[in-house]
Amino acid sequence: MRPPALDWSVENCTIARAMAVLGEKWALVVLREVFNGVRRFDDMRIRTGIPRQVLTNRLATLVEEGVLRREPYREPGSRERHEYRLTDKGLDLWPVLVAVLGWGDRYLADPDGSPLSVGHRDCGGEVHVELRCERGHPVTAVRDVVPRPGPGARRRAD
């Protein structure tokens, strides 16, 4: 049986576009650090072990894509430098990082558990990602989701 998805093109797929920005390992590591409050280049490099040029490139891409913005700062007696802050576009990636963290905790954590957890500031409860449809129904099984062409879909030329 031919899958219906073969009837529409994926040339303009937003998942592919998102992965062009986020699909390299170090991009999500940089975002993890910024979400954790580590905003300065040298702090990120030391904490993560990302090679200097790779970190420079990842930060430049995330700034160019509008995920991060550069903010100047100056330590007394030093030259002006920049730290990296999340934009609204960057803040919208928080559920993505929480989902990746949850998946990693489930399948890749050390026997002692994950070195990172995220909690709700108000009550302290663990935070996790939950899927719901636009009408508010929880989506608990993959088989309850049906891929379909979106408004920007293009028919495939056979």
Side-chain angles (χ1 to χ4, degrees):
M1 180 170 154
R2 179 181 161 86
L6 291 175
D7 293 335
W8 71 85
S9 171
V10 292
E11 290 177 22
N12 62 340
C13 175
T14 55
I15 292 175
R17 290 178 183 176
M19 294 312 292
V21 176
L22 303 172
E24 196 275 331
K25 162 186 161 179
W26 295 117
L28 291 181
V29 171
V30 167
L31 288 172
R32 177 199 68 198
E33 293 307 310
V34 177
F35 273 111
N36 285 334
V38 179
R39 297 184 181 100
R40 295 181 178 179
F41 183 94
D42 287 336
D43 294 338
M44 277 186 229
R45 192 175 59 76
I46 291 166
R47 183 169 154 91
T48 64
I50 300 173
R52 180 176 290 279
Q53 191 58 52
V54 172
L55 180 56
T56 298
N57 294 344
R58 287 303 123 332
L59 287 167
T61 297
L62 293 169
V63 168
E64 180 180 311
E65 292 293 335
V67 174
L68 297 176
R69 71 178 189 281
R70 290 169 35 122
E71 291 285 328
Y73 74 92
R74 183 185 304 250
E75 297 285 345
S78 297
R79 65 180 172 85
E80 181 179 274
R81 303 182 88 162
H82 292 91
E83 62 181 21
Y84 297 86
R85 300 275 179 156
L86 292 157
T87 63
D88 288 343
K89 188 175 181 180
L91 288 166
D92 283 345
L93 287 167
W94 181 238
V96 174
L97 267 69
V98 173
V100 171
L101 174 64
W103 185 86
D105 287 353
R106 181 171 181 174
Y107 296 107
L108 304 171
D110 290 341
D112 292 339
S114 178
L116 177 66
S117 70
V118 290
H120 186 221
R121 186 182 309 273
D122 290 347
C123 73
E126 287 291 314
V127 172
H128 63 275
V129 173
E130 181 179 280
L131 296 178
R132 292 187 171 274
C133 76
E134 67 181 4
R135 295 181 182 153
H137 304 117
V139 178
T140 57
V142 173
R143 296 193 189 286
D144 292 340
V145 178
V146 179
R148 58 186 183 205
R154 300 177 184 140
R155 295 262 329 143
R156 276 188 46 141
D158 290 330

